[in-house]
Amino acid sequence: QVQLVQSGAEVKKPGASVKISCRASGYTFTTYPLHWVRQAPGQRLEWMGRINIGNGNTHYSEKLQDRVTITRDTSATTAYVDLSSVGSEDTAMYYCARFNTFGGVVRGGLLDYWGQGTLVTVSS
Amino acid sequence: SYELTQPPSVSVTPGQTASITCSGDNLGDKYVSWYQQKPGQSPLLVIYQDIKRPSGIPERFSGTNSGNTATLTISGTQAMDEADYYCQTWDNNAVLFGSGTKLTVL
């Protein structure tokens, strides 16, 4: 079965960087893009960016594009999100999710499997 | 930038029909998905491409999308359906989520 397993909780000081991993199993890793989504306490889901696993191409949200980097290791079937210069506003649950179009157009795509989430707390 | 607006809260009594709306300019020209999120859990896809249900999602969940509004309908709502619901679309090469609606089953 499809599984996305994320790394454990992180506590960071303001100005530091944080890197979270997402290990995929149960499907052909290179077939589906992976997206990263975060959710601050009591807030809506916020899209951060995505990576096309096959060619490594990335696209980031305008809000975070200067601080976020998404990478992947195909041999380890793992994707990573790296967020730099964190502040209190980055305290959130971070999720990876698989993007699927069911063979259709990208604009009809959806996030069909999600990781369990990684809590990042930024505190001095 | 494009925005998706949802009502902050919707209440329903058990067995009745709950409707949760998602509004955006010409949203009917885009595809919409819906996610259910219970406290402490990851989001779960319940509707995709406006009207389709993933395997394992009960038939009481359905969706429509026309004009400026997409609607998630839960028929015969059960206590287990109490959760936050988010609509999602694709815009400007990015995923976009709605503001979220808390469904309370009274």
Side-chain angles (χ1 to χ4, degrees):
Chain A
Q1 73 281 21
V2 175
Q3 282 192 308
L4 298 174
V5 178
Q6 299 181 220
S7 49
E10 302 268 8
V11 179
K12 295 293 182 181
K13 294 192 182 300
S17 294
V18 64
K19 189 171 185 176
I20 304 165
S21 67
C22 171
R23 179 170 52 84
S25 61
Y27 70 98
T28 302
F29 185 58
T30 53
T31 301
Y32 301 88
L34 274 178
H35 290 231
W36 288 90
V37 175
R38 71 178 184 177
Q39 187 174 37
Q43 301 301 308
R44 73 165 75 185
L45 300 170
E46 178 187 11
W47 182 76
M48 300 177 67
R50 72 169 188 278
I51 185 166
N52 290 329
I53 302 298
N55 60 17
N57 286 350
T58 55
H59 186 69
Y60 304 120
S61 76
E62 288 187 12
K63 175 182 174 181
L64 296 173
Q65 61 184 356
D66 293 336
R67 297 196 294 129
V68 67
T69 304
I70 299 174
T71 57
R72 94 288 191 224
D73 180 345
T74 55
S75 64
T77 66
T78 300
Y80 305 87
V81 63
D82 195 323
L83 186 64
S84 63
S85 303
V86 298
S88 58
E89 69 278 9
D90 297 311
T91 292
M93 186 69 80
Y94 288 73
Y95 297 100
C96 60
R98 191 181 81 163
F99 186 76
N100 196 346
T101 63
F102 290 111
V105 294
V106 171
R107 67 184 182 88
L110 51 111
L111 300 168
D112 62 352
Y113 288 93
W114 294 65
Q116 83 277 19
T118 297
L119 181 62
V120 174
T121 303
V122 181
S123 174
S124 56
Chain B
S1 60
Y2 196 82
E3 292 187 0
L4 295 175
T5 302
Q6 300 179 234
S9 62
V10 169
S11 298
V12 65
T13 55
Q16 298 304 302
T17 296
S19 295
I20 299 173
T21 58
C22 174
S23 300
D25 288 343
N26 297 311
L27 185 57
D29 294 337
K30 302 178 182 293
Y31 282 112
V32 174
S33 297
W34 290 91
Y35 301 86
Q36 176 194 72
Q37 187 180 32
K38 296 182 179 180
Q41 296 186 17
S42 303
L44 172 70
L45 179 71
V46 295
I47 292 289
Y48 68 97
Q49 292 173 359
D50 298 338
I51 61 173
K52 299 177 181 178
R53 264 182 302 105
S55 173
I57 299 301
E59 291 184 8
R60 63 180 181 271
F61 288 86
S62 63
T64 61
N65 184 19
S66 179
N68 296 320
T69 304
T71 302
L72 173 69
T73 301
I74 309 172
S75 305
T77 306
Q78 300 183 9
M80 68 172 66
D81 300 329
E82 186 164 286
D84 293 330
Y85 290 85
Y86 294 90
C87 58
Q88 172 256 309
T89 193
W90 180 267
D91 180 75
N92 196 25
N93 205 23
V95 167
L96 182 65
F97 291 102
S99 47
T101 298
K102 181 176 182 58
L103 177 67
T104 301
V105 183
L106 300 170

